[in-house]
Amino acid sequence: MAFRNWFAIRFLAVFSIVFGLLLAYGHTHFYRDPGSIFFNRDYAFERQYSNYRQRQAREFLKRYTSESNGTIPQFKDDHTGHLSASKAKANATICVNFVTVRRKGTQLVDDAIGSALAGLSHEEREDVHFTVFFANTEPTLHPTFQQSWLRQIVDSVYWYPAGSSERAKLKMLEGEGDWTTKMRTVKALRDADSITGLSPRDWLYLRLFNQERSTGWNSRRVGDNHEFWISLSLALIVLGVALALRHTVPTLRPFLDNSTLAVACIVVIPSLVVLFFQAGKASLLPPRPGIVEQNFGCCSQALLYPREQISGLIKSLHEQEAGQYDLMINEYAKTEALSRLSLYPAQVRHLGVESTRDTDPAEAQAVWSAAFETLSSETLKADHERMVEEIYRAPRYET
């Protein structure tokens, strides 16, 4: 009996050490996950990859300031090694629209535009039509509107025309923080139907941005994720197997005494189950890379729409007139029974903390993709070059 009790004590001691190491690992690796008990606000929002992209964006824009004398941007042809000046061709596959309103301080739309263009091959640049929509009733008050580089690098710039009914409505609503800019431009995704198996008539948009809070467990409270019943079920399974082995394998009996089984079922299993849920779903079970059907998600940054859905969505937004844009388009998707898709890992990161809806700064900051910050610039560069070669340069054969 003394040996058995001593083994149970040693088992508990070893588990305590292992559990402590798991806690230490969680503190050093899961601190960015807002759904984790290890989340640390002091370090969670440190920028890594986004700083790299921001530097690239600003270096790109710097080449087309007032000193550039109207120079048209040049994009490298990696196939020939030459630089070629280009904007979008007439039959561009994708249309990208930046909708912006004047913000206090830095205009982050500058970084958004620069990061979208910096690093493109000339084939990609010709295949994407870039537009910027200034949603203020007086677009000239927006600092970016006056930038010399703007009309050099994008394909079109537009705003609400003077005297339009929409401009008059927005004039009354400006400053209240509860008005919606309407989407006027097609945003299409090349070959999304073949990737997902869905026809463009079956899905409304592809989300390029997602926050970890959207993919977490239902609750962070202990017990709200059925930890008790999961622990009980696992304990009964372990207990049943252990008792069977104790009766059929005599050499294991000293290690499967009642004290050891009690430690396993009452301490070890519940502790690991609780830790599993408290560690955060985004940390332990992150979404698999690729496109998935996901009818939830926060906000409306970087949504790609197939052309087939544009007219119906515009009509719906006109009928609703005002509201939160993300809620309005999701309601339209439900009404029309359209799927919503997400691409992982996130391709876009929400950089600012200022909201047109007067969101609390702490809440605005939490609209964040931690996974984006851990991306490798070297890996992405290699992937980018490979995909450009496959999409634009590889020989194609008719079947």
Side-chain angles (χ1 to χ4, degrees), residues 20 32 50 54-55 92 102-103 127 135 155 170 196 199 208 278 294 318 335 345 356 359-360 374 382:
R32 289 183 179 274
S50 61
Q54 188 175 51
R55 287 194 302 271
R102 181 184 180 183
R103 305 296 182 100
D127 209 22
D155 297 288
L170 292 176
T196 62
S199 164
L208 300 184
Q278 289 298 302
Q294 181 176 296
H318 272 297
T335 301
T356 56
T359 304
D360 178 76
T374 62

Side-chain angles (χ1 to χ4, degrees), residues 85-307:
S86 65
K87 285 193 176 183
K89 58 187 178 183
N91 59 339
T93 302
I94 299 173
C95 183
V96 175
N97 182 30
F98 293 92
V99 180
T100 180
V101 295
R102 181 184 180 183
R103 305 296 182 100
K104 298 176 183 177
T106 304
Q107 307 304 308
L108 292 175
V109 69
D110 297 8
D111 290 337
I113 296 171
S115 65
L117 289 164
L120 293 183
S121 69
H122 84 279
E123 297 101 328
E124 291 174 298
R125 180 61 189 91
E126 290 179 345
D127 209 22
V128 182
H129 188 93
F130 284 91
T131 70
V132 181
F133 175 39
F134 291 90
N136 293 95
T137 55
E138 299 296 336
T140 55
L141 298 180
H142 195 300
T144 302
F145 189 83
Q146 310 290 358
Q147 292 290 345
S148 59
W149 51 258
L150 178 64
R151 289 157 182 81
Q152 298 177 51
I153 66 174
V154 303
D155 297 288
S156 58
V157 177
Y158 60 111
W159 55 93
Y160 290 115
S164 67
S165 59
E166 289 175 327
R167 185 166 180 170
K169 288 181 182 178
L170 292 176
K171 190 69 177 177
M172 292 186 293
L173 293 171
E174 270 187 330
E176 296 180 8
D178 185 28
W179 56 285
T180 302
T181 59
K182 301 294 196 313
M183 178 191 62
R184 299 287 188 193
T185 297
V186 176
K187 303 179 183 76
L189 176 65
R190 178 172 185 159
D191 296 333
D193 51 339
S194 62
I195 295 173
T196 62
L198 293 173
S199 164
R201 294 182 176 84
D202 297 330
W203 57 277
L204 179 59
Y205 63 71
L206 174 71
R207 181 182 294 279
L208 300 184
F209 166 81
N210 242 318
Q211 56 176 346
E212 277 72 14
R213 293 190 304 177
S214 298
T215 57
W217 304 115
N218 291 331
S219 175
R220 287 183 58 182
R221 288 179 51 188
V222 176
D224 283 0
N225 295 300
H226 311 293
E227 292 94 326
F228 172 79
W229 296 109
I230 294 173
S231 298
L232 180 61
S233 299
L234 292 175
L236 291 175
I237 293 172
V238 170
L239 183 62
V241 173
L243 291 176
L245 290 173
R246 190 165 74 178
H247 286 288
T248 57
V249 185
T251 55
L252 294 180
R253 290 174 185 171
F255 308 102
L256 297 174
D257 62 286
N258 293 338
S259 298
T260 302
L261 294 180
V263 170
C265 296
I266 299 175
V267 178
V268 175
I269 292 175
S271 298
L272 293 177
V273 169
V274 170
L275 179 62
F276 175 81
F277 286 99
Q278 289 298 302
K281 184 178 180 180
S283 297
L284 295 180
L285 300 173
R288 296 179 61 183
I291 295 177
V292 297
E293 184 173 352
Q294 181 176 296
N295 295 328
F296 60 86
C298 169
C299 314
S300 56
Q301 296 93 346
L303 300 180
L304 293 172
Y305 299 87
R307 287 182 173 90

Side-chain angles (χ1 to χ4, degrees), residues 42-55:
D42 293 335
Y43 301 101
F45 301 112
E46 290 180 342
R47 298 175 182 175
Q48 294 177 10
Y49 184 69
S50 61
N51 279 345
Y52 168 78
R53 290 296 293 152
Q54 188 175 51
R55 287 194 302 271

Side-chain angles (χ1 to χ4, degrees), residues 304-320:
L304 293 172
Y305 299 87
R307 287 182 173 90
E308 290 82 350
Q309 301 297 344
I310 298 302
S311 59
L313 181 57
I314 290 177
K315 180 180 178 182
S316 175
L317 293 177
H318 272 297
E319 290 173 351
Q320 297 181 70

